[in-house]
Amino acid sequence: VYNAAPAWGVTVGDALAVPDPVVTQHQHQHHGQTFSFLGIRVSSPLSLVVNGKRPPPSALAPPRLALSNPSAPL
């Protein structure tokens, strides 16, 4: 689950409802083999329903800021 906090997750046997999913077909080729699978994305782990309840706010990973400047001298 993208953007989920490391300490939060779902386990085998949990009932999971995915409102407004975005389903994407992925196809990748590597060394002559083709891999095809579906990906399901939601806007936030907080939009899921796990065992009939919404996850707590702590289920959302905190934002991180990453900066890069390729033209900066080393």
Side-chain angles (χ1 to χ4, degrees):
V1 176
Y2 293 105
N3 297 322
W8 181 85
V10 294
T11 59
V12 173
D14 283 346
L16 181 65
V18 184
D20 301 319
V22 176
V23 179
T24 306
Q25 176 73 41
H26 297 272
Q27 269 194 313
H28 302 281
Q29 292 187 349
H30 182 69
H31 294 292
Q33 292 184 322
T34 300
F35 300 92
S36 180
F37 58 93
L38 292 176
I40 302 173
R41 294 195 76 148
V42 293
S43 59
S44 163
L46 301 181
S47 67
L48 299 172
V49 178
V50 182
N51 298 325
K53 296 185 264 183
R54 296 275 184 183
S58 61
L60 186 62
R64 293 186 310 193
L65 177 62
L67 301 174
S68 69
N69 184 352
S71 62
L74 297 177

